[in-house]
Amino acid sequence: MWAARSDDLPWPRDVPAPGPELVVVINPGSGEHDATATRDALARVFGSAGRAFRFVAIATPADLARAADHAARECAERGTVLVAAGGDGTINSVAQAAWHHGCLFGVLPQGTFNYFGRDHGIAQDLEQAATALLHADEQPVQVGEVNGRLFLVNASLGLYPQLLEDRETFKQQLGRHRWVAMLSGVVTVFKWRRQLALDLELDGQTTRVLSPTLFVGNNRLQLERIGMEPAIAARVGEGRLAALMPHPIGSWKLLWLALRGALGRLGDANGIDGAAFRNLTVQVRRARRVKVATDGEVTMMAPPLQFRVSDRPLRLMLPRPDHRVPVE
């Protein structure tokens, strides 16, 4: 299961390593970063500091969830730290395992947006983040759940999961470029005709609505970036999640809303509802199973969908104040 630690790493074998062992999960298919280069960089940082560490052996991306779960179980038993190095999808999969087994969790962000890492002051530079992890302290952080599945940044159904699936298809055919992602988004919006028929139960009140998508956020930074109403965004992370839902609209208006979100002006747009909540039940009428995206990973779930703040936080290893980077 574990990749062996090299015997030529520069720390004395008879001196106790400072801090708990770091068990690092690197997704071999995650983004544009080379897994071997990532391993080499982390070995230099951890080895020169005299910190015990191991890498989880993963042959293909399909093995990620299983390997992370096995590693998390061992980390919980030994009191060691499970570390995710990768983008949002990798971090979500490893965090899911750490949260399920209750072990300590560290993050080395390598994705495009890295909202979770940035919101907690974790550097985007790999070696800087690894150095900060060596001196990090445990801090419980809020996570969201939908039908028992964890999300750190957001969860959604309807149009948004379809956007993610279509984007991945386009990237496999045309390459991983920003213009490919933009093109796939435009194509998906114009071919999407479905309006979700939803029954929402919030604070004891049930409302019947139609909408192309439902977006639930657990990351204040992302919500602020898209321009969500400040009074709602400010409550996220303090025992509340936030829901965004556009009214039934056509393709051109959907594109207009997406542009406003990119410009950070979604909060003052007409035709979109938002609310902060702790528990939200969503029944999707005439649907036995629906696509749900959690931090960019799409799975099928059976309604009703229960969105809520988890009673059990994630045990995040948070950088000390002098090692945190300002939010950009």
Side-chain angles (χ1 to χ4, degrees):
M1 179 62 185
W2 306 115
R5 191 170 62 188
S6 173
D7 289 332
D8 60 2
L9 292 174
W11 74 80
R13 295 290 177 176
D14 57 347
V15 177
E21 182 181 44
L22 303 174
V23 180
V24 187
V25 179
I26 303 173
N27 186 348
S30 179
E32 300 176 357
H33 297 271
D34 180 75
T36 301
T38 298
R39 287 168 62 101
D40 290 345
L42 294 179
R44 286 195 302 272
V45 174
F46 298 152
S48 63
R51 187 65 166 266
F53 68 94
R54 296 177 181 179
F55 294 110
V56 178
I58 301 177
T60 67
D63 298 327
L64 176 64
R66 178 193 55 78
D69 185 77
H70 184 81
R73 186 183 302 112
E74 292 197 3
C75 286
E77 293 171 353
R78 300 177 180 179
T80 53
V81 183
L82 185 64
V83 181
D88 289 341
T90 300
I91 291 172
N92 176 279
S93 292
V94 181
Q96 178 87 22
W99 173 72
H100 178 73
H101 292 285
C103 69
L104 296 169
F105 177 63
V107 173
L108 300 171
Q110 292 190 285
T112 302
F113 297 106
N114 296 322
Y115 281 118
F116 181 76
R118 290 164 60 197
D119 199 29
H120 291 91
I122 301 173
Q124 306 304 293
D125 177 78
L126 178 63
E127 295 194 21
Q128 186 179 353
T131 300
L133 179 61
L134 292 169
H135 308 283
D137 297 312
E138 179 183 350
Q139 174 67 46
V141 299
Q142 172 180 300
V143 297
E145 286 184 67
V146 52
N147 287 18
R149 183 171 179 82
L150 168 146
F151 59 95
L152 303 176
V153 180
N154 61 60
S156 59
L157 62 150
L159 174 61
Y160 192 67
Q162 192 62 49
L163 283 168
L164 295 173
E165 284 197 337
D166 290 349
R167 182 179 67 185
E168 191 59 32
T169 299
F170 269 67
K171 286 183 176 180
Q172 290 175 3
Q173 296 174 347
L174 301 175
R176 308 186 74 86
H177 307 288
R178 286 186 180 272
W179 68 266
V180 174
M182 294 176 61
L183 174 62
S184 70
V186 172
V187 171
T188 302
V189 167
F190 274 95
K191 76 178 184 181
W192 184 265
R193 295 292 182 267
R194 184 183 176 193
Q195 299 292 330
L196 298 174
L198 306 175
D199 291 328
L200 309 180
E201 184 180 336
L202 178 64
D203 297 329
Q205 304 254 343
T206 301
T207 305
R208 180 163 290 189
V209 299
L210 289 175
S211 178
T213 192
L214 172 65
F215 180 92
V216 176
N218 182 51
N219 185 276
R220 187 181 306 178
L221 175 62
Q222 184 186 44
L223 295 170
E224 290 174 348
R225 286 288 190 267
I226 65 177
M228 189 173 192
E229 185 179 338
I232 296 176
R235 303 181 69 186
V236 172
E238 299 178 354
R240 294 290 185 274
L241 303 170
L244 283 172
M245 187 174 59
H247 298 173
I249 53 179
S251 298
W252 284 107
K253 287 188 177 180
L254 275 174
L255 283 176
W256 176 236
L257 282 179
L259 178 60
R260 293 183 73 92
L263 296 174
R265 298 180 57 191
L266 196 61
D268 59 359
N270 294 322
I272 189 165
D273 295 326
F277 68 91
R278 183 172 180 82
N279 293 279
L280 173 65
T281 301
V282 180
Q283 181 65 60
V284 185
R285 297 198 299 275
R286 299 183 298 277
R288 293 184 178 181
R289 293 173 67 81
V290 293
K291 293 177 182 178
V292 179
T294 51
D295 296 340
E297 299 297 307
V298 180
T299 57
M300 298 296 295
M301 294 186 183
L305 304 175
Q306 306 280 350
F307 293 91
R308 70 187 191 101
V309 175
S310 175
D311 295 330
R312 183 160 47 90
L314 184 67
R315 299 175 63 195
L316 178 67
M317 296 301 290
L318 186 71
R320 294 178 180 177
D322 56 329
H323 286 141
R324 295 177 202 166
V325 298
V327 177
E328 299 178 355

